[in-house]
Amino acid sequence: MTEVTVGRRERKKARTRQAIADAALELFLERGFEQVTVKDVAEAADVSMSGLFKHFPTKESLVFDEDDDVRDGLVSAVRDRPEGTPVLEALHEWLLNRARNRAGDPRIEAFVGLIAATPALGDYSRRMWQRYEEDLAEAIRQAGPDAPGAAIAARAVSRFALDRAELSHGDPRAELDAAFALLSRGWPAPELHRPPSGPPAEEPPAPARPPGLRERKKAQTRESITRAAQELFTQRGYDDVGVREIADTAGVSPGTLFTYFPDGKASLVFPGDQTDNAEALVAAVRHRAPEQSIPRALHDYMAGRGPFRPRTTAAEQRVLDLIRTTPELSDYALRAWTVAQPALTQAITEEAGLPADDITARLLSHSMLQIPDLSRATTDARQALDVITDLLEHGWPESLARTS
């Protein structure tokens, strides 16, 4: 008798949860995520606010009701694969079947578009997938060789596989085939088999004219704001410091602060210019040595930046630790790298002599730009850079055999 009662109660809870999720998605798609309140969803689903929060603790979680099934399915695809089936083949097949089932469904396409157009949902989605990738990474690590760097390589494979989980339109096979070819066989390095495309080396340019007084003053103001923000954040925590306090400490008005840092509070931690970083990444590809592959050229550029630098001061390490442990700063840091993806993809495409619409160049660009974020899951960022670059050059799990 008890089993029947429990079963009925669980079925009722599942129906209520589904009704809430359906009502939320319909409202979000109709009016936009920001224009809908949790109260609107509760009224549309005919539940109380407390009843809604029993099922969905945050507004963002209303959008992602089914994704536990995605995590469980991917982990099962690895752990329960038929004997003799390679891990990547099993993941490829699972994702292909999921994409086929979703292709052509206008609600799913609208759902993916909603996430792409809503920054709050994009950030929530990234954090959710990063939690899920831990479980998938552990399954991949257990299935792969026991070698130095195996855990971070598995985390990278998990991240890159999950990146393909949101395909929802057209024929997904071409994208998935290209993604898993890169993961299993590595970058084919066509750039090593063609003559350099750039002009011959020129004489070094004449030294640039020293910056004028105005430029120096602007640079000093920007530096003082960044230094004040970093010191306050590392002393008291990111969430406990306001922008006005940072402005006061730096000796500027809040208006002046936002003139220098229009992207808001998180950007105060990062002194560099995202445009400059994108240009430097492109330059690393275009001006690499003739015998150097594109992944290796990007590796060497990254090796001198951020967490990958061989030596950091105590103050710099405190800032790196702050970024690693603060989700908003981690999100901003990831965006600061991935904003370079279009320009980097174009440079890779041209240097490798690939068609303009080549998928592999975009996949390589995206994957390399994920490395700084992936390195935050380890205590040795430089090892992460080395291991993931080897993975993208030679494929998994063969790249690990090179270090055994």
Side-chain angles (χ1 to χ4, degrees):
M1 189 69 177
T2 303
E3 290 182 2
V4 173
T5 303
V6 171
R8 185 180 300 119
R9 183 183 301 120
E10 292 305 315
R11 289 195 300 272
K12 184 177 179 180
K13 286 173 62 178
R15 286 195 298 269
T16 301
R17 181 181 178 87
Q18 189 62 52
I20 295 170
D22 289 345
L25 184 57
E26 184 173 346
L27 287 172
F28 293 152
L29 293 178
E30 177 185 342
R31 289 156 49 186
F33 181 78
E34 303 294 350
Q35 283 67 49
V36 176
T37 67
V38 174
K39 184 178 180 182
D40 293 334
V41 177
E43 290 176 351
D46 195 23
V47 298
S48 67
M49 292 282 284
S50 60
L52 184 148
F53 282 120
K54 285 179 182 178
H55 294 277
F56 298 95
T58 66
K59 182 181 175 183
E60 289 81 6
S61 66
L62 288 162
V63 179
F64 298 96
D65 184 43
E66 67 170 354
D67 285 303
D68 279 344
D69 295 337
V70 176
R71 176 195 56 191
D72 295 343
L74 284 163
V75 170
S76 177
V78 173
R79 290 184 174 160
D80 302 329
R81 69 192 188 282
E83 186 175 355
T85 302
V87 169
L88 292 180
E89 182 180 321
L91 283 174
H92 184 187
E93 187 64 23
W94 191 93
L95 288 166
L96 183 60
N97 287 335
R98 180 174 187 267
R100 284 171 173 161
N101 291 335
R102 291 157 57 94
D105 186 330
R107 280 175 62 84
I108 290 177
E109 292 189 11
F111 166 77
V112 173
L114 175 71
I115 296 171
T118 311
L121 291 178
D123 288 344
Y124 184 94
S125 178
R126 278 192 296 273
R127 292 178 196 143
M128 178 190 70
W129 285 117
Q130 286 172 14
R131 290 194 302 272
Y132 291 178
E133 80 184 20
E134 294 178 10
D135 295 336
L136 179 57
E138 179 59 18
I140 294 170
R141 186 196 65 78
Q142 291 177 3
D146 183 11
I152 186 59
R155 186 69 178 257
V157 171
S158 176
R159 169 77 59 92
F160 302 151
L162 288 171
D163 282 342
R164 311 268 68 76
E166 285 307 309
L167 296 172
S168 65
H169 52 81
D171 179 7
R173 178 174 287 279
E175 177 113 5
L176 284 168
D177 286 353
F180 278 85
L182 180 63
L183 283 177
S184 61
R185 298 195 293 272
W187 173 247
E191 67 275 13
L192 299 182
H193 307 291
R194 63 192 304 266
S197 60
E202 300 177 354
E203 292 294 324
R209 182 173 61 85
L213 178 61
R214 184 178 181 185
E215 286 76 13
R216 292 199 303 273
K217 185 175 180 180
K218 288 174 65 176
Q220 290 167 357
T221 300
R222 185 179 181 91
E223 182 181 351
S224 68
I225 294 170
T226 297
R227 185 168 57 249
Q230 291 179 349
E231 289 176 356
L232 288 169
F233 290 154
T234 55
Q235 288 170 7
R236 290 167 34 206
Y238 178 80
D239 293 329
D240 294 330
V241 177
V243 170
R244 180 173 292 277
E245 184 178 0
I246 296 168
D248 290 343
T249 303
V252 300
S253 69
T256 297
L257 182 149
F258 283 116
T259 297
Y260 285 89
F261 295 90
D263 289 343
K265 181 179 172 182
S267 66
L268 300 175
V269 177
F270 303 90
D273 187 301
Q274 294 181 14
T275 302
D276 290 344
N277 189 43
E279 291 174 352
L281 286 160
V282 168
V285 170
R286 296 210 184 272
H287 303 301
R288 69 195 184 282
E291 72 283 355
Q292 191 176 42
S293 72
I294 288 174
R296 191 56 49 181
L298 291 170
H299 167 280
D300 291 353
Y301 167 73
M302 290 181 173
R305 310 259 316 167
F308 307 119
R309 293 195 305 271
R311 287 177 294 279
T312 57
T313 66
E316 290 170 337
Q317 189 57 52
R318 286 195 294 272
V319 172
L320 292 173
D321 291 340
L322 176 72
I323 295 170
R324 180 174 53 81
T325 57
T326 308
E328 187 174 342
L329 293 178
S330 296
D331 287 341
Y332 187 91
L334 177 59
R335 289 194 297 270
W337 281 98
T338 56
V339 73
Q341 183 173 322
L344 183 57
T345 297
Q346 181 178 345
I348 293 172
T349 299
E350 294 172 355
E351 289 297 308
L354 298 170
D357 59 350
D358 182 76
I359 298 172
T360 311
R362 172 167 51 83
L363 293 169
L364 177 65
S365 172
H366 173 82
S367 300
M368 289 295 302
L369 294 174
Q370 294 286 317
I371 296 177
D373 190 65
L374 283 163
S375 73
R376 280 186 266 279
T378 75
T379 57
D380 189 340
R382 179 53 189 267
Q383 184 195 31
L385 175 61
D386 295 342
V387 167
I388 301 172
T389 302
D390 282 346
L391 164 66
L392 293 170
E393 280 196 297
H394 306 291
W396 185 92
E398 285 75 10
S399 60
L400 294 175
R402 298 166 60 89
T403 60
S404 298

